[in-house]
Amino acid sequence: METKIGLEIHVELSTETKMFCPCKNEYGGEPNTRICPVCMGEPGILPSPNFEAVKKAVKVGIALNSKINRFSIFTRKNYFYPDLPKGYQITQYGTSIAEGGSVNIKSGSVYLERINIEEETAKSIYTENGEVLLDFNRCGIPLLEIVTLPCIKSPEEAVEFLKELRRIIRYLGVSECDMEKGMFRVDSNVSVSKEGRAELKNLNSLKAVYEGLLYEIKRQKEVIEKGEKIRRETRLWDEFKKETRVMRVKEEELDYRYFPEPDLPPLELSTELIEKIKKEIPELPYQKKQRFVKLYFLDEKDAEILVSEKELADYFEEILKFYKNPEDVSSWVITELLAYTEPENTRKLGLSASEIAQLVKSVNENKITRNIGKEILKRSISEKIPISELIKKEEKSIIKGDDIIESAVKEVIEENPDVVEKYIKGKKGVLGFLIGQTMKKLKGRADPKQVGKLILKKLEKNS
Amino acid sequence: MKELNLPVHLLIEKYKKGDFLPSQLIESLIKKIKEKDKHINSFIKVFENQAIERAKILDKKIKNKEKTGSLFGVPVAIKDNILVKDAETTCASKILKGYIATYNATVVEKLLLEDAIIIGKTNMDEFGMGSSNEFSSSGPVHNPLKKGYVPGGSSGGSAAAIAAGFATCALGSDTGGSVRQPAAFCGVVGFKPTYGRVSRYGLVAFASSCDQIGPITINVMDSWTIFRIIAGFDEKDKTTFDVPAPEIPEEEIKFRIGFPEKLLEQGVEEEIKARLDEILREFVKSKNYELKNIEMRSFRYAIPVYHIITGAEASSNLARFDGIRYGLRLEGKYLEEVYKKTRGYGFGEEVLRRIIMGGFALRSGYYEEYYIKAQKARSMILEEFMDNFEKVDFIITPTSPFPAFKIGEKVEDPIKLYLSDIFTVSANLSGIPAISIPCGKTGEGLPIGMQIMAKPLDEGRLFKLSLQLEDFIKQRYGN
Ligand SMILES: [Zn+2]
């Protein structure tokens, strides 16, 4: 039995205005404040396509290696639902803005069928007393529909593909792709045999995609093992019960009565425009990763983490401008900085690139110890004190004169005669312990290398 | 006040000379409507106070010698499927009862900018679907020229209002003849511009690819005046053309006129056929124009093609009337019941018939057989027109195969009623401009209309010929 998974992803484009009217495209806000006759589907209105959204769709198409169609048409998809004010959604069917394309993942490529431009529906809000309220702020926001071929072989691959797709779109700066805010939504179709497949809806997070697919594959295999057939149906993933259940069977599928949108002429793109957009495509994550490995001699794993978000990668390179030491900067960014925040929010910590550079440099030049460096980072984040100020303070308090250190060394040697004994007998490894003890006494305010030197000097004298 | 029936330029001249003020005209007009529209029912709503208020503002313009627009003080009636801000727009349907327009249609904005006065909203066939103005939630309209007869449709109210002298000009909408046919039935001028000439923004859509707003007026010149004002590219309607405004050519042109004689052999009333024949032959002779017999074979497909395409579009365009956001809502226990009750009660019989038929043509499995086939036939019709326009400049037909008929006569037989559009729908399917001008009356006293069609965007020459024909006909048959 061969598992085949196809995905359908809806991405809300971030644009100044909505797809077919001048209302602002923003998330949330006081319900029904960003509406007009057009997005409310009042009588007599006509749609005016948002060219910014069209250009962003082309950008995505190019970045995903799709063929951009110079002519595409808008289509009406007809069905009744309160969140659909006109009784139809303007989408594309038959002739899309982009066709084909692929996204590379570890195990190969995921191939795309098409990319369509369409409009978002209103948001239904279900109240405790059983009412349904409608918020049309969301209605008419430009939406991309990205459809893959059923070529994904496992839930793991599906998740990896979605992560990469989301990352590429975020790199292009055309959508925030925030799944919690519904800006990146996933539907799926799954089959484990030649006949019969199920559509899977309500996959609201990557975890839901993974668990939902896993469950559905298992369910279908069990049905077949029992000698039964897989029914063609749409199923809903229940995140709480961890199961999929039937939403509607094939006979109940809606007939959308598609036909070309008569209110809009075909969407025509000049080759010049397509070429211009091509030039605007930024370095994509996989390209950036290769460059980091080659240029900065980073290992693959670190490079992968650094390019996971464009914001982080840019931040990393900005720090390098102030202190060209890719290895140590990457180590600090990955192990220290990312302990405090998600990759996409590194800048929100409020630390300037030059300050981070100074911190790494100070540690490397033994002006402060690594531990103190970490301490400084923590204080700077929590107390909002500039790193440079903290480093200055620490530098002042650092013990440079040999006499204070020497007396501490003396104390440590006196307190640990057995360890000293071991050292003398040739167990040189215990030196680290002695350094650690001394540093503890000095509350870390000394250069461990200097401490080491002085211990060695003292021990040599003793032996 | 006998000045009520003046054409636009004469009316404005009277204002300028100080013979009377806009407010005086509007007041007597409203008095006349109140008195006489009871028997005609051409208005759904008369803007009594608003029109007088606006007229008084215009009065001051005259007194202060301010700059005035080209429709200064001209009373205009607007079909009730064209939005006028803050006024109820019903499309003569129960389902839109209580819907107050939140914006002005682009054409209304343009008229107001030229200092026109909107006198009211006119009756119509519900959502523009009908040819007799009998399908209206506000009741049927009576032909002002003959009691008990229909005024044609769907812009029956607009045509009747002009024929009755309730307004100087009116706007209608023409999806398959809805401006031209009622104009013909009421003995006035009705014009459907090239598709894309006039913005549809604010026109409640019946069939988006065929709908076009057009003027109904007492003469050809007024039609031209209104057309020039409402035409032009509109940012809000992406199907409008960004081309220069048309001009009536001044030079003499030896026009070639096409007349599809064979087409008229069947189904056209003898009196109408004879009248057109007579006028054309003599007119052509007097002008030394060329009259050519042409073939229009694709016309016989026009009615079914028209109903499949407009029905399909209507089924989608009218989906928004669901009782959720505006207009009528009948409550139900669950969502589907709200839809069924609201739409089942809110739409009239003819509208339901077309929605069901149109929805059917779009169903998967039937789409190719109906909608796609109809689209192919549609391009054949356009091709045949364009072929003919290589040979002739205009094609002339009767506007309708028969004159106005009795109220109730055809209402039970939709197919018969659909056939009254046989000569008009092709212009909508192919997007070409077409005008209907009066050419006398039948023995029974019913007006006869002549339709002149031209190639796309050729309105300038179309109006030149129409003015000449109007002149010729008036000299011969009087008014
Ligand atoms: Zn809007």
Side-chain angles (χ1 to χ4, degrees):
Chain A
M1 281 190 274
E2 193 191 2
T3 301
K4 283 184 178 167
I5 300 167
L7 298 174
E8 197 179 293
I9 302 103
H10 286 94
V11 181
E12 280 184 3
L13 291 176
S14 48
T15 48
E16 195 65 35
T17 56
K18 292 184 181 179
M19 188 61 220
F20 295 112
C21 67
C23 293
K24 286 259 170 293
N25 171 9
E26 281 162 23
Y27 177 79
E30 177 82 19
N32 298 314
T33 49
R34 289 190 305 276
I35 54 170
C36 73
V38 176
C39 56
M40 287 299 282
E42 283 197 35
I45 56 90
L46 295 170
S48 286
N50 175 349
F51 209 59
E52 187 196 357
V54 172
K55 284 196 278 191
K56 287 186 167 165
V58 171
K59 213 170 195 176
V60 172
I62 295 171
L64 300 179
N65 312 304
S66 309
K67 178 181 155 266
I68 307 297
N69 280 329
R70 286 197 46 219
F71 290 90
S72 60
I73 56 167
F74 287 108
T75 311
R76 288 192 187 175
K77 178 180 182 178
N78 297 285
Y79 64 95
F80 285 96
Y81 206 71
D83 67 6
L84 192 67
K86 297 189 293 296
Y88 58 86
Q89 181 193 33
I90 303 178
T91 175
Q92 296 191 300
Y93 185 78
T95 335
S96 309
I97 190 155
E99 277 170 57
S102 61
V103 172
N104 289 328
I105 56 171
K106 276 190 224 101
S107 52
S109 291
V110 171
Y111 295 99
L112 308 179
E113 187 183 306
R114 60 189 146 83
I115 300 174
N116 289 329
I117 300 182
E118 55 187 34
E119 55 178 341
E120 181 70 285
T121 56
K123 196 175 171 184
S124 304
I125 299 152
Y126 300 86
T127 66
E128 279 168 21
N129 50 17
E131 283 176 327
V132 184
L133 303 174
L134 291 162
D135 179 5
F136 288 85
N137 283 351
R138 198 184 78 170
C139 189
I141 285 176
L143 210 56
L144 276 193
E145 183 187 52
I146 302 171
V147 184
T148 76
L149 290 172
C151 63
I152 300 166
K153 290 185 275 310
S154 67
E156 289 82 5
E157 270 192 18
V159 170
E160 197 197 337
F161 159 75
L162 289 170
K163 277 185 178 165
E164 181 62 9
L165 177 71
R166 198 173 56 167
R167 193 162 70 160
I168 292 172
I169 294 171
R170 289 178 55 97
Y171 260 64
L172 295 172
V174 301
S175 173
E176 287 174 45
C177 294
D178 191 330
M179 284 186 92
E180 270 171 42
K181 290 180 181 169
M183 294 169 174
F184 187 94
R185 304 196 291 271
V186 183
D187 295 325
S188 173
N189 57 71
V190 193
S191 69
V192 299
S193 68
K194 283 223 166 58
E195 54 235 80
R197 58 173 197 160
E199 313 283 326
L200 208 53
K201 288 196 177 289
N202 203 30
L203 304 172
N204 293 330
S205 64
L206 291 179
K207 187 168 162 255
V209 170
Y210 182 77
E211 291 180 343
L213 288 174
L214 210 61
Y215 177 91
E216 183 57 22
I217 291 166
K218 191 170 147 257
R219 184 192 71 84
Q220 289 192 16
K221 282 183 176 167
E222 282 169 6
V223 169
I224 289 175
E225 269 156 25
K226 268 191 265 171
E228 291 167 19
K229 276 194 173 159
I230 307 289
R231 281 192 307 172
R232 182 90 186 255
E233 59 197 10
T234 302
R235 300 178 72 89
L236 217 59
W237 169 245
D238 187 326
E239 203 154 294
F240 300 101
K241 290 188 182 157
K242 302 281 181 206
E243 61 179 29
T244 65
R245 58 164 186 272
V246 181
M247 189 174 131
R248 55 174 180 249
V249 297
K250 196 192 170 219
E251 291 70 30
E252 298 163 355
E253 289 293 335
L254 295 171
D255 184 343
Y256 292 120
R257 291 172 286 124
Y258 291 101
F259 74 102
E261 166 59 281
D263 285 332
L264 289 170
L267 187 59
E268 205 180 326
L269 304 166
S270 67
T271 38
E272 292 80 35
L273 179 74
I274 297 171
E275 284 309 311
K276 196 178 153 250
I277 296 172
K278 223 174 239 177
K279 286 191 191 111
E280 289 170 10
I281 306 267
E283 187 181 36
L284 294 173
Y286 58 92
Q287 295 163 332
K288 208 180 267 295
K289 182 180 155 190
Q290 280 170 1
R291 184 167 61 86
F292 279 14
V293 170
K294 265 194 195 157
L295 188 67
Y296 301 136
F297 303 104
L298 298 179
D299 68 43
E300 293 253 348
K301 230 171 119 191
D302 288 350
E304 179 68 35
I305 295 169
L306 288 173
V307 304
S308 63
E309 287 292 339
K310 188 167 180 291
E311 202 181 300
L312 180 66
D314 289 348
Y315 192 45
F316 168 70
E317 291 206 280
E318 212 182 309
I319 300 169
L320 288 187
K321 276 187 205 152
F322 297 98
Y323 183 48
K324 196 140 179 71
N325 184 336
E327 197 192 334
D328 290 324
V329 170
S330 108
S331 148
W332 270 87
V333 168
I334 292 169
T335 50
E336 307 305 338
L337 269 183
L338 290 185
Y340 294 99
T341 182
E342 294 297 315
E344 65 264 36
N345 294 325
T346 32
R347 276 191 206 271
K348 284 189 193 137
L349 291 176
L351 305 168
S352 77
S354 67
E355 301 234 305
I356 300 285
Q358 199 192 343
L359 183 68
V360 181
K361 199 174 170 202
S362 298
V363 172
N364 274 10
E365 291 173 354
N366 292 319
K367 287 185 183 144
I368 52 172
T369 65
R370 189 170 176 111
N371 277 340
I372 287 180
K374 285 186 199 175
E375 227 15 74
I376 287 176
L377 190 64
K378 193 174 168 187
R379 273 191 72 193
S380 177
I381 291 166
S382 61
E383 295 168 37
K384 307 251 173 285
I385 306 169
I387 286 177
S388 52
E389 213 172 279
L390 293 171
I391 290 178
K392 235 179 247 164
K393 245 188 226 165
E394 286 299 333
E395 277 178 347
K396 261 185 208 159
S397 66
I398 245 174
I399 305 153
K400 292 222 180 70
D402 283 354
D403 34 336
I404 298 175
I405 301 173
E406 267 169 11
S407 69
V409 168
K410 196 174 157 229
E411 273 174 43
V412 169
I413 287 179
E414 280 168 10
E415 281 162 17
N416 297 286
D418 45 334
V419 181
V420 174
E421 189 70 30
K422 276 182 190 163
Y423 182 85
I424 294 167
K425 280 185 180 157
K427 262 196 132 176
K428 306 289 185 207
V430 297
L431 181 64
F433 174 78
L434 294 172
I435 295 174
Q437 290 299 308
T438 315
M439 288 299 286
K440 216 175 183 178
K441 271 200 193 304
L442 295 168
K443 296 202 167 68
R445 294 180 196 288
D447 174 6
K449 278 183 195 158
Q450 194 187 356
V451 172
K453 259 186 234 161
L454 290 170
I455 294 176
L456 282 177
K457 216 164 109 191
K458 189 97 184 156
L459 287 176
E460 271 158 33
K461 246 187 230 167
N462 280 14
S463 58
Chain B
M1 211 172 173
K2 67 177 187 340
E3 286 85 357
L4 290 177
N5 293 340
L6 290 174
V8 172
H9 69 282
L10 289 179
L11 176 62
I12 294 179
E13 219 168 81
K14 294 250 173 204
Y15 285 143
K16 292 268 162 84
K17 276 196 340 214
D19 287 2
F20 51 85
L21 287 165
S23 63
Q24 291 171 309
L25 179 97
I26 297 299
E27 269 166 19
S28 57
L29 208 52
I30 282 167
K31 214 176 116 207
K32 181 177 173 185
I33 296 170
K34 272 187 177 166
E35 226 174 81
K36 297 197 170 153
D37 201 38
K38 291 195 281 266
H39 312 295
I40 299 173
N41 197 25
S42 64
F43 281 94
I44 287 178
K45 176 93 190 164
V46 179
F47 295 164
E48 189 175 338
N49 298 329
Q50 300 96 311
I52 290 172
E53 251 170 62
R54 184 164 164 84
K56 281 182 178 159
I57 294 170
L58 296 180
D59 287 357
K60 281 181 199 146
K61 274 197 173 185
I62 287 265
K63 280 178 198 149
N64 303 338
K65 296 201 165 60
E66 284 172 51
K67 210 175 151 243
T68 54
S70 57
L71 289 179
F72 180 80
V74 173
V76 183
I78 307 280
K79 189 177 179 179
D80 202 31
N81 61 350
I82 298 171
L83 271 62
V84 176
K85 194 169 186 257
D86 299 330
E88 191 182 15
T89 298
T90 69
C91 296
S93 179
K94 292 196 290 271
I95 208 157
L96 271 176
K97 197 95 199 105
Y99 168 70
I100 306 295
T102 59
Y103 66 101
N104 271 331
T106 299
V107 289
V108 169
E109 286 286 339
K110 288 185 166 190
L111 293 177
L112 292 176
L113 266 174
E114 294 298 335
D115 289 342
I117 297 169
I118 294 173
I119 191 93
K121 302 294 291 288
T122 54
N123 205 341
M124 56 185 283
D125 281 301
E126 186 178 357
F127 287 105
M129 298 174 188
S131 308
S132 62
N133 218 133
E134 290 167 290
F135 303 119
S136 163
S137 66
S138 296
V141 178
H142 294 252
N143 193 317
L145 280 80
K146 198 164 169 111
K147 206 173 180 307
Y149 279 68
V150 303
S154 66
S155 312
S158 287
I162 297 305
F166 295 155
T168 306
C169 312
L171 289 186
S173 66
D174 191 315
T175 307
S178 282
V179 160
R180 290 159 286 160
Q181 187 254 21
F185 278 18
C186 294
V188 291
V189 175
F191 172 55
K192 181 201 92 74
T194 305
Y195 182 81
R197 265 292 193 203
V198 177
S199 169
R200 293 182 291 118
Y201 194 81
L203 165 68
V204 182
F206 158 15
S208 313
S209 74
C210 292
D211 296 344
Q212 194 65 193
I213 294 171
I216 295 176
T217 52
I218 50 174
N219 65 23
V220 175
M221 204 55 213
D222 281 358
S223 185
W224 174 252
T225 304
I226 299 288
F227 166 58
R228 283 291 310 254
I229 290 164
I230 61 174
F233 175 70
D234 181 8
E235 205 41 70
K236 292 185 186 131
D237 178 356
K238 298 297 173 190
T239 61
T240 51
F241 293 116
D242 197 0
V243 292
E247 297 292 344
I248 297 179
E250 277 174 28
E251 74 277 12
E252 284 305 312
I253 306 168
K254 194 170 180 286
F255 286 131
R256 301 162 301 166
I257 293 165
F259 192 50
E261 280 172 33
K262 209 169 170 191
L263 202 65
L264 272 55
E265 275 166 18
Q266 282 173 344
V268 179
E269 280 190 16
E270 207 43 56
E271 225 181 333
I272 292 180
K273 201 180 153 226
R275 173 68 52 83
L276 249 69
D277 230 74
E278 182 187 308
I279 290 175
L280 280 179
R281 280 178 214 295
E282 290 184 26
F283 171 72
V284 162
K285 208 159 84 191
S286 75
K287 289 277 182 188
N288 197 23
Y289 289 168
E290 216 180 306
L291 188 65
K292 276 190 180 174
N293 180 17
I294 58 156
E295 283 205 69
M296 280 302 298
R297 259 180 286 203
S298 61
F299 258 58
R300 62 194 165 115
Y301 305 119
I303 293 285
V305 166
Y306 170 79
H307 280 280
I308 288 169
I309 289 171
T310 59
E313 291 178 8
S315 74
S316 174
N317 282 332
L318 271 58
R320 73 191 60 189
F321 307 116
D322 57 4
I324 303 290
R325 282 149 298 122
Y326 48 75
L328 178 83
R329 180 200 291 189
L330 299 186
E331 296 297 343
K333 283 193 277 305
Y334 45 92
L335 182 65
E336 207 174 287
E337 198 182 311
V338 174
Y339 286 155
K340 282 182 175 163
K341 275 182 160 177
T342 303
R343 289 170 64 82
Y345 172 79
F347 289 133
E349 201 185 329
E350 179 62 19
V351 173
L352 287 173
R353 180 155 42 224
R354 302 220 195 181
I355 290 175
I356 291 166
M357 194 168 65
F360 181 80
L362 288 175
R363 290 190 56 177
S364 71
Y366 297 88
Y367 178 74
E368 296 280 331
E369 202 176 326
Y370 291 100
Y371 186 79
I372 294 290
K373 212 185 230 175
Q375 287 293 6
K376 281 181 189 155
R378 183 181 193 170
S379 24
M380 275 169 54
I381 293 170
L382 175 63
E383 257 171 59
E384 195 176 19
F385 265 124
M386 294 319 277
D387 283 349
N388 274 314
F389 284 130
E390 299 269 304
K391 291 173 243 158
V392 296
D393 301 304
F394 309 103
I395 296 169
I396 292 183
T397 68
T399 306
S400 164
F402 39 76
F405 43 88
K406 286 197 185 90
I407 290 178
E409 191 185 312
K410 295 191 200 301
V411 76
E412 294 305 328
D413 188 350
I415 300 295
K416 225 183 220 168
L417 199 53
Y418 293 170
L419 282 178
S420 76
D421 301 332
I422 182 111
F423 296 116
T424 46
V425 293
S426 291
N428 301 81
L429 288 171
S430 46
I432 64 172
I435 194 168
S436 173
I437 61 172
C439 46
K441 287 175 183 156
T442 63
E444 265 188 289
L446 293 164
I448 297 172
M450 173 197 278
Q451 176 181 234
I452 315 162
M453 296 177 275
K455 55 174 174 265
L457 300 175
D458 202 13
E459 286 98 346
R461 298 199 312 163
L462 175 63
F463 271 91
K464 187 178 177 84
L465 180 81
S466 302
L467 286 166
Q468 290 173 351
L469 265 165
E470 180 185 48
D471 229 32
F472 181 83
I473 293 164
K474 271 188 183 158
Q475 277 173 27
R476 217 188 138 94
Y477 300 96
N479 279 326

